[in-house]
């Protein structure tokens, strides 16, 4: 029987750390189904979905704690069910660009929550920007959010609500709504 395990690892970024984690998984007989890596500050962050027979998953769960201690990583593991393609009626994607201000990510995740849209992907970045109209340096903030909903939504009303939110927050936003294609 195939089992699944989600692994999250965080630690100081350095060459070879990703390779060491993937070696533990593959040498234990696990298969990497999906993974993401990001750098936050000076920290390496990995999240990975692994599948394997019972003995492979148990071996990974046994070996990762000692390997993580050797490499000063914080590792969290959780068994999970196999990935099921999500059922949805619409895929909703938005991008937001603005001067960096606190609360923007929360405002748009709240928008998705209020409209019963499950967030499936989120990327938010602050980037150093050029000089603004007052000859000041301002950081620019970029958000991309993608979500799925099973609801039969009024797409015009959703777009209008999004535009109102963007106007209220003085940000530039774009909302794309894609109907599921069978």
């Amino acid at each position: 029987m195939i089992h699944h395990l989600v692994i999250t690892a965080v630690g100081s970024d350095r060459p070879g750390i990703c390779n060491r984690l993937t070696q533990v998984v593959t040498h234990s007989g696990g298969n990497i189904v999906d993974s993401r890596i990001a750098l936050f500050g000076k920290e390496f962050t990995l999240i990975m979905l692994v599948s394997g027979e019972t003995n492979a998953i148990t071996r990974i769960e046994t070996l990762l704690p000692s390997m993580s201690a050797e490499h000063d990583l914080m590792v969290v593991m959780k068994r999970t069910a196999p990935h099921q393609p999500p059922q949805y009626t619409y895929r909703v994607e938005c991008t937001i660009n603005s001067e960096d201000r606190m609360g923007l990510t929360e405002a748009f995740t709240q928008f998705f929550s209020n409209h019963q849209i499950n967030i499936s992907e989120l990327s938010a970045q602050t980037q150093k920007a050029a000089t603004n109209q007052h000859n000041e340096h301002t950081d620019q903030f970029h958000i991309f959010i993608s979500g799925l909903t099973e609801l039969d939504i009024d797409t015009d009303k959703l777009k209008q609500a999004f535009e109102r939110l963007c106007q209220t927050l003085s940000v530039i936003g774009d909302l794309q709504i894609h109907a599921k294609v069978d």
Side-chain angles (χ1 to χ4, degrees):
M1 179 177 188
I2 299 295
H3 294 270
H4 292 80
L5 181 69
V6 174
I7 301 166
T8 303
V10 179
S12 297
D13 185 36
R14 58 193 172 281
I17 197 65
C18 178
N19 178 249
R20 186 65 188 109
L21 286 160
T22 59
Q23 282 178 343
V24 169
V25 170
T26 56
H27 292 181
S28 297
N31 179 46
I32 300 170
V33 177
D34 195 359
S35 65
R36 305 281 189 281
I37 293 174
L39 296 176
F40 294 103
K42 293 184 178 185
E43 302 304 310
F44 161 87
T45 304
L46 169 132
I47 187 163
M48 179 184 300
L49 176 63
V50 175
S51 67
E53 297 288 336
T54 303
N55 60 346
I57 297 299
T58 301
R59 191 174 306 121
I60 294 166
E61 290 171 322
T62 303
L63 293 175
L64 272 181
S66 60
M67 189 282 298
S68 66
E70 287 175 34
H71 296 280
D72 195 29
L73 291 173
M74 181 179 70
V75 174
V76 176
M77 296 174 279
K78 184 179 188 296
R79 288 201 186 206
T80 188
H83 177 72
Q84 298 294 323
Q87 298 297 311
Y88 63 93
T89 308
Y90 293 98
R91 186 177 78 244
V92 179
E93 297 176 337
C94 74
T95 55
I96 296 94
N97 296 295
S98 170
E99 287 186 9
D100 188 23
R101 293 192 317 270
M102 288 182 57
L104 292 177
T105 302
E106 189 274 332
F108 287 97
T109 58
Q110 185 67 55
F111 175 84
F112 272 61
S113 177
N114 290 347
H115 291 89
Q116 302 298 303
I117 302 168
N118 292 333
I119 294 175
S120 56
E121 183 179 352
L122 185 149
S123 173
Q125 291 183 318
T126 301
Q127 298 174 341
K128 296 290 179 196
T131 306
N132 68 12
Q133 62 202 14
H134 303 291
N135 209 24
E136 302 167 326
H137 283 47
T138 58
D139 292 340
Q140 292 295 300
F141 191 61
H142 307 282
I143 306 171
F144 170 78
I145 304 173
S146 179
L148 305 171
T149 183
E150 296 176 18
L151 301 177
D152 190 18
I153 57 177
D154 183 329
T155 59
D156 289 333
K157 284 185 180 178
L158 184 65
K159 286 181 179 183
Q160 290 169 1
F162 180 81
E163 289 170 6
R164 279 192 306 273
L165 178 59
C166 289
Q167 287 174 351
T168 300
L169 296 172
S170 299
V171 301
I172 298 169
D174 180 54
L175 183 73
Q176 299 291 317
I177 303 170
H178 308 278
K180 180 178 182 180
V181 179
D182 291 322

